[in-house]
Amino acid sequence: MDSYALTATETDCLLVIDVQADFLPGGALAVPDGDAVIAPINALGKIFRHVVLTQDWHPAGHASFAASHPGKAPFETTALAYGPQVLWPKHCIQGTSGAELSPGLALPHAQLVIRKGYRPGIDSYSAFREADRTTTTGLAGYLRERGFTRVFLCGLATDYCVAWSAVDARAARFQAVVVEDACRAIDRDGSLERAWGDMAAAGVERAESGAIGG
């Protein structure tokens, strides 16, 4: 990308993915070094006039929790109605402190919070489409109605919610740029390498926060 392509404009939106207590150090599903995303995200917030946040928002007993499947352990896989599902520790349960957005985020001008994963039987990594790949969140329609053509993605985790959101942004015909230093990954069993491969194949671009201007 050239320098012009890295200038935030009125048709760009910063999409901040799942920077929530349960994904930060000490949380139920902590992403390694997850709190390191907060400073670069806050710096990006000073550049982007348009910001959207996402929030994992599970009911108790969600189908993606290992505890909902007797005999299963976190990070094992099971078959749900829509296909294979990684099972997670209980996390981001509606109304709990673990589901709260990090108080360290300094994004008072954020214009929308998209909650996802609130359907009891369907997980939701992507900000655009849930894990059944047909149920939409409404984000694509919102971005189109607002006139946005490109999203810059950051947050947690690179290899799951960020990657799925970036690939789905491309499928919805938005340009997509992942801000690498404003993301952190879980990276189990090669998941990060696979995610970058999937994003590259979809036409997702990569950038560092310091290369983005307003």
Side-chain angles (χ1 to χ4, degrees):
M1 293 182 291
D2 60 28
S3 58
Y4 175 81
L6 288 172
T7 300
T9 72
E10 281 297 300
T11 58
D12 291 327
C13 183
L14 180 66
L15 186 54
V16 181
I17 305 292
D18 295 0
V19 184
Q20 295 168 256
D22 270 344
F23 297 131
L24 297 173
L29 184 51
V31 177
D33 200 30
D35 53 348
V37 307
I38 294 173
I41 287 173
N42 288 343
L44 289 166
K46 296 177 180 179
I47 296 170
F48 286 84
R49 199 163 80 84
H50 305 292
V51 179
V52 169
L53 308 172
T54 73
Q55 190 175 18
D56 228 20
W57 196 247
H58 297 307
H62 192 264
S64 70
F65 296 164
S68 300
H69 303 270
K72 291 287 189 179
F75 307 108
E76 291 184 0
T77 300
T78 195
L80 295 184
Y82 51 81
Q85 171 67 50
V86 176
L87 297 176
W88 306 105
K90 295 178 183 179
H91 66 281
C92 297
I93 295 174
Q94 296 169 3
T96 66
S97 59
E100 292 178 3
L101 295 167
S102 170
L105 290 175
L107 302 169
H109 59 303
Q111 297 157 359
L112 179 71
V113 177
I114 288 279
R115 285 177 167 170
K116 58 190 181 66
Y118 54 79
R119 294 176 173 84
I122 308 174
D123 205 6
S124 187
Y125 301 138
S126 171
F128 291 88
R129 287 189 297 173
E130 298 194 352
D132 62 358
R133 313 311 291 145
T134 57
T135 303
T136 61
T137 67
L139 179 58
Y142 171 86
L143 294 172
R144 288 194 189 98
E145 286 200 5
R146 293 288 312 279
F148 300 122
T149 59
R150 182 171 61 172
V151 292
F152 286 73
L153 300 100
C154 55
L156 304 169
T158 316
D159 41 347
Y160 284 93
C161 297
V162 173
W164 286 50
S165 297
V167 169
D168 281 352
R170 294 292 300 133
R173 299 184 180 179
F174 297 100
Q175 293 176 271
V177 182
V178 170
V179 187
E180 293 187 60
D181 60 312
C183 302
R184 290 296 185 277
I186 295 173
D187 199 13
R188 291 178 63 91
D189 303 320
S191 58
L192 181 59
E193 183 179 0
R194 287 194 300 273
W196 281 123
D198 291 343
M199 287 189 277
V204 176
E205 297 176 275
R206 299 162 70 161
E208 295 290 324
S209 60
I212 301 167

